[in-house]
Amino acid sequence: MLDTIVAAVNNVLWGEGLALRADVPVLGPVDIATGPLLIYMLVFCGIWFTVKLGGVQFKHFFHMFSVMKGSTRSTKEGISSFQALCTSLSARVGTGNLAGVAVAISLGGAGAIFWMWMIALIGMATGFAESVLGQLYKVRDDNGEFRGGPAYYIKQGLGKTWLAVAFSLCLFFGYGFVFSAVQANTITDALENAYAIPTLYSGLAIILLAALIVVGGLRGIARFAELAVPFMGVGYILVALVVTAINITEVPAMLGHIISAAFGLEEAGAGVLGAAIKNGIQRGLYSNEAGSGSVPHAAAGAAPNPNHPVSQGYVQMLGVFFDTIILCTCTAFIILLAGNENAAEGMGGIGLTQDALSIHIGASGTDFISAAICLFAFTSVVANYAYGESNLHMFHLDNKPGRLIYTAGYLGMILWGSMAALPTVWAMADMALGLMSVINIIAIIWMTPTIVSISKDYFAKRQRGERPEYKQGDCSIQGSTEENIW
């Protein structure tokens, strides 16, 4: 009965049960003929903020990169902007970048990649909006360090404490516990299949490594992220560039194939046009997390440079671009240049990616993808802890006993997840993520006046040639921020 209820909720939120997860079996058909509500909400949200902010992701595209100058400066109150970006990418970059893209191609064809790019471009505006709010309504925890996220801007900006608590509970369940368990399961399965390492041993190793990192709190996680994310991101990009260079003569035809398939211009294309749009949008939205309410936690923990909430909007907008436009495109090129777009009947998403890279560089391709999956999944395990920890302040648990209980539960879930069969838990995690996203989307659209007001303040100061610095009262906002924050 629980499976039926969870599947029914997911069908309403996501459409077709667990359509978004690349490595999760669908629980079965659900007798509810409803569409993917959350997909429509996320697309609307992206278009809404693209219009309301004057196409900020296009007009200020290069400024998005220039904000990263001097982004390595941290303070005793907050991590650096670069660390905040790497922390958010640690959670974003995962199996969706390798397996999810493969599933999008196998179900929607090459045209799905074009729609994945389109949804990332409008999703950048959503990521900008929610990160601005996360930074604006941040608070100081018991250690004097910055914390924040949707629960905080819902409570302070909208005055809806009950809605803030509902969001926090969904986030605790999803990011605080379950997501780390299933990511650990991905790692242990990969190690057992490739090297026959018992899941218990690899699970204990994950716990030990994770504990050494998360014991340092957000700062420890941020330090790990700023080392691990560039390493794994640059490594994967270099492999994709080598593959592209080897097949450079085929690139123009591949790009033409993506565009023509995206609009159903090829033979029998009309029949797969809907599948291309649907799968491209779904995978893009799931991969970059824009609108889900997760990234504002990383944005809130930063000491921005310049000291204005909007600067973190640009930083996290860059995260959406890097995750989907860069990393997901790398996977797409590897698969499409291998020529096995239609070779995935019965093959899991990660299997298609492994098979494609093996065609390019031999058997070592499988080993490389297995290693990448383990590293990508582990960084997500660690970053998920930070998101849950950020909400302890909401329940007055940001103290030693509160952190100890949370950490023990988090590590225990990793051990359990490393050995468990998880289809039902995956489904419950998707439900938690979906409900989080619904609450967050409603909240940030409700707070559009604040987002527009503070963005115009930044734009105007920059246009006057001033360094954009924000002080409380510079512009009109909904509710109020914590005293002495700005």
Side-chain angles (χ1 to χ4, degrees):
M1 184 175 179
L2 176 63
D3 286 353
T4 302
I5 293 172
V6 172
V9 173
N10 279 333
N11 191 63
V12 173
L13 293 174
W14 297 111
E16 297 184 9
L18 305 183
L20 290 181
R21 297 279 186 180
D23 49 358
V24 183
V26 177
L27 296 178
V30 181
D31 295 328
I32 297 180
T34 52
L37 173 66
L38 191 50
I39 302 301
Y40 299 141
M41 291 181 69
L42 286 164
V43 171
F44 171 80
C45 189
I47 296 172
W48 173 265
F49 284 112
T50 296
V51 173
K52 289 292 183 179
L53 296 171
V56 63
Q57 68 271 49
F58 306 116
K59 292 173 68 174
H60 297 172
F61 181 80
F62 294 105
H63 182 62
M64 179 176 70
F65 293 92
S66 66
V67 168
M68 296 305 298
K69 295 177 182 177
S71 64
T72 57
R73 180 184 61 83
S74 62
T75 68
K76 64 179 182 179
E77 297 174 310
I79 59 177
S80 70
S81 292
F82 182 69
Q83 288 176 326
L85 173 62
C86 290
T87 301
S88 69
L89 283 171
S90 293
R92 277 188 178 120
V93 176
T95 54
N97 297 83
L98 282 77
V101 175
V103 171
I105 292 173
S106 62
L107 296 179
I113 302 306
F114 175 84
W115 296 109
M116 186 179 292
W117 292 336
M118 293 302 101
I119 201 62
L121 291 177
I122 66 169
M124 288 168 71
T126 303
F128 177 93
E130 63 181 353
S131 298
V132 166
L133 290 178
Q135 176 66 208
L136 175 62
Y137 292 97
K138 64 188 178 184
V139 300
R140 288 188 182 88
D141 66 9
D142 282 3
N143 293 327
E145 296 182 349
F146 293 141
R147 291 291 184 270
Y152 298 88
Y153 55 71
I154 291 171
K155 181 178 179 180
Q156 295 181 51
L158 297 176
K160 306 295 182 184
T161 302
W162 65 273
L163 193 60
V165 170
F167 179 90
S168 289
L169 291 175
C170 290
L171 182 129
F172 269 128
F173 179 76
Y175 281 91
F177 299 108
V178 179
F179 291 170
S180 296
V182 291
Q183 294 287 358
N185 187 266
T186 298
I187 298 171
T188 55
D189 274 357
L191 294 176
E192 184 180 39
N193 294 334
Y195 309 109
I197 299 175
T199 56
L200 175 61
Y201 296 159
S202 53
L204 290 172
I206 294 169
I207 285 178
L208 177 61
L209 291 173
L212 290 174
I213 295 169
V214 303
V215 71
L218 179 60
R219 289 187 182 276
I221 294 167
R223 285 192 293 269
F224 166 76
E226 71 176 333
L227 295 175
V229 170
F231 171 77
M232 69 183 189
V234 170
Y236 192 62
I237 291 169
L238 287 176
V239 169
L241 288 174
V242 169
V243 169
T244 303
I246 293 171
N247 301 276
I248 192 65
T249 57
E250 300 175 31
V251 171
M254 178 198 66
L255 293 174
H257 177 41
I258 290 174
I259 300 300
S260 58
F263 294 95
L265 301 179
E266 299 180 346
E267 186 177 356
V272 298
L273 176 59
I277 296 173
K278 177 177 180 294
N279 284 281
I281 289 175
Q282 284 184 328
R283 299 297 166 177
L285 288 171
Y286 183 75
S287 177
N288 61 54
E289 297 186 15
S292 71
S294 58
V295 172
H297 296 92
N305 183 32
N307 191 35
H308 195 293
V310 170
S311 65
Q312 269 302 301
Y314 287 109
V315 169
Q316 298 303 333
M317 190 164 68
L318 179 60
V320 177
F321 177 83
F322 184 79
D323 173 86
T324 307
I325 303 296
I326 303 298
L327 290 182
C328 287
T329 299
C330 287
T331 300
F333 277 28
I334 289 171
I335 293 171
L336 295 176
L337 289 172
N340 62 344
E341 174 185 341
N342 300 313
E345 290 298 325
M347 184 185 294
I350 196 61
L352 178 58
T353 309
Q354 288 175 318
D355 186 60
L357 193 56
S358 295
I359 290 173
H360 295 298
I361 64 175
S364 59
T366 298
D367 292 331
F368 177 83
I369 294 298
S370 297
I373 276 288
C374 289
L375 183 56
F376 283 20
F378 181 73
T379 59
S380 294
V381 168
V382 173
N384 290 344
Y385 176 92
Y387 290 168
E389 187 201 34
S390 292
N391 279 262
L392 291 176
H393 183 80
M394 179 63 58
F395 300 99
H396 304 290
L397 293 173
D398 54 335
N399 46 48
K400 287 186 177 180
R403 287 192 177 90
L404 181 63
I405 293 171
Y406 170 65
T407 303
Y410 161 82
L411 295 175
M413 285 293 288
I414 291 176
L415 181 62
W416 173 78
S418 66
M419 299 180 291
L422 298 172
T424 300
V425 179
W426 262 119
M428 294 177 70
D430 276 329
M431 182 176 69
L433 178 64
L435 293 174
M436 267 176 55
S437 301
V438 168
I439 295 172
N440 185 58
I441 291 169
I442 292 172
I444 62 177
I445 290 178
W446 200 342
M447 299 188 73
T448 298
T450 294
I451 296 167
V452 171
S453 176
I454 197 163
S455 296
K456 286 183 176 179
D457 178 72
Y458 183 97
F459 300 160
K461 288 175 179 175
R462 181 168 171 257
Q463 193 170 26
R464 292 195 299 265
E466 300 176 13
R467 179 176 172 82
E469 301 278 350
Y470 177 74
K471 292 184 177 61
Q472 192 168 5
D474 279 359
C475 61
S476 175
I477 65 170
Q478 292 160 276
S480 60
T481 58
E482 187 173 270
E483 289 186 12
N484 301 319
I485 284 286
W486 298 104

